[in-house]
DNA sequence: GCTAGGTAATTGCGTGTGCAACTATTGACC
DNA sequence: GGTCAATAGTTGCACACGCAATTACCTAGC
């Protein structure tokens, strides 16, 4: 078997490994978050994204990109969170097609409660994953990614 | 902000990056496979897993692990593929609770057709991802993973 | 040999998702 | 100023998923 064929195998195997690690992390986060604060991973992702824009609005489309969801799924996701009074829709004045979302007090409070649980779970799962020879290299790579801006 | 806080941020950011890359690859594979051979990514994963066990059976449970799916989802996934005559259920003699699955001729043929599409899409997507500074380190790590056994 | 506890797989049910079709609004062109 | 394509967001619909309950079977223990 030649070098080119090996490359195909390596990519396929790498993809399976990535998918395995992703599934592992997501299911653990799902369990931890839904048990403690009744949030799914995507719901937490929304709160996290909104919080990271501190005080700033976010369009539906940006939310869709941040969660890797379709527009329709994003609409319903925002509906669920709005029904729980965790965020509010804000009509935008300069483009009346656009809709901004922002966290409510309750939303920020729930996020503050969920965040340590999220972070601890992530730390634990990554440590577990790093102990598996199969997954370790990918976990290492995650650590090596530089933060987008100065995080201090 | 201290080193410990940075570590939390780095993990969270790494996880978002991993999720982004995973979502990117999965959606591209989904599009390519469903358009050309009417298979979803998990369905392809099943055919691939069965094929990699060349001629060998695979229990439902193993399939569930390979696809990161629940037992119920695995049952229905196998149902769909069986309805399309791509695989067959085989009762196991020594443990009559267990059910083996194996590819049919049609299943193997469709896999052979799907595989190059899968591989080419994966190559293209990984190349695209590697061009994004944000995703590149993770893609590098995937390439660096050694194949489980001698692949030649 | 029979019962009790555990495991493999399946089914009922509620829910989240994507696609396609739709509405509302914007911006470009003449 | 009116028309037309493009964009933002929402809704109808079908479908795949997870959880919990169920069935069938195996394995101890007595």
């Amino acid at each position: 078997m030649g070098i080119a064929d090996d490359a195909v195998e390596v990519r396929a195997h790498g993809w399976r490994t990535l998918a395995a690690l992703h599934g592992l992390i997501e299911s653990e986060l799902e369990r931890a978050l839904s048990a403690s604060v009744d949030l799914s991973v995507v719901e937490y992702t929304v709160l996290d994204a909104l919080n990271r824009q501190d005080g700033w609005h976010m369009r539906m489309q940006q939310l869709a990109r941040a969660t890797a969801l379709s527009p329709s799924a994003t609409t319903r996701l925002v509906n669920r969170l709005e029904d729980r009074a965790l965020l509010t829709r804000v009509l935008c004045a300069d483009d009346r097609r656009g809709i901004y979302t922002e966290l409510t007090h309750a939303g920020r409070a729930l996020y503050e409660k969920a965040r340590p649980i999220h972070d601890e779970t992530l730390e634990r799962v990554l440590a577990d994953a790093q102990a598996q020879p199969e997954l370790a290299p990918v976990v290492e790579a995650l650590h090596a990614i530089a933060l987008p801006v100065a995080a201090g």
Side-chain angles (χ1 to χ4, degrees), chain A residues 11 30 41 48 59 86:
Chain A
R11 277 192 294 268
E30 195 78 47
V41 174
D48 183 56
R59 294 184 81 106
L86 299 176

Coordinates of all heavy atoms in Angstrom, one line a residue, chain A residues 11 30 41 48 59 86:
Chain A
R11 N -6.4 10.1 7.3 CA -7.5 11.1 7.4 C -8.8 10.5 7.9 O -9.4 11.1 8.8 CB -7.8 11.8 6.0 CG -6.8 12.9 5.7 CD -7.3 13.7 4.5 NE -7.3 12.9 3.3 CZ -6.3 12.8 2.4 NH1 -5.2 13.5 2.6 NH2 -6.4 12.0 1.3
E30 N -23.6 17.4 28.3 CA -25.1 17.2 28.2 C -25.6 16.7 29.6 O -26.6 17.3 30.1 CB -25.5 16.3 27.1 CG -26.9 16.3 26.7 CD -27.2 17.6 25.8 OE1 -26.4 17.8 24.9 OE2 -28.2 18.3 26.1
V41 N -26.5 21.4 25.8 CA -25.2 22.0 25.4 C -25.4 23.2 24.5 O -24.8 24.2 24.7 CB -24.3 20.9 24.7 CG1 -23.0 21.6 24.2 CG2 -24.0 19.8 25.7
D48 N -23.5 31.3 26.7 CA -22.1 31.6 26.7 C -21.7 32.7 25.7 O -21.0 33.6 25.9 CB -21.3 30.3 26.5 CG -19.8 30.6 26.6 OD1 -19.3 31.1 27.6 OD2 -19.1 30.2 25.6
R59 N -27.2 39.0 16.6 CA -28.3 38.7 15.7 C -28.5 37.2 15.7 O -27.7 36.4 16.0 CB -27.9 39.1 14.3 CG -27.7 40.6 14.1 CD -27.4 40.9 12.7 NE -28.6 40.9 11.9 CZ -29.2 42.1 11.4 NH1 -28.7 43.2 11.7 NH2 -30.3 42.0 10.7
L86 N -34.9 33.6 29.9 CA -33.4 33.7 30.1 C -32.8 34.7 29.1 O -31.7 35.2 29.3 CB -32.8 32.3 29.8 CG -33.3 31.3 30.8 CD1 -32.7 29.9 30.4 CD2 -32.9 31.6 32.2

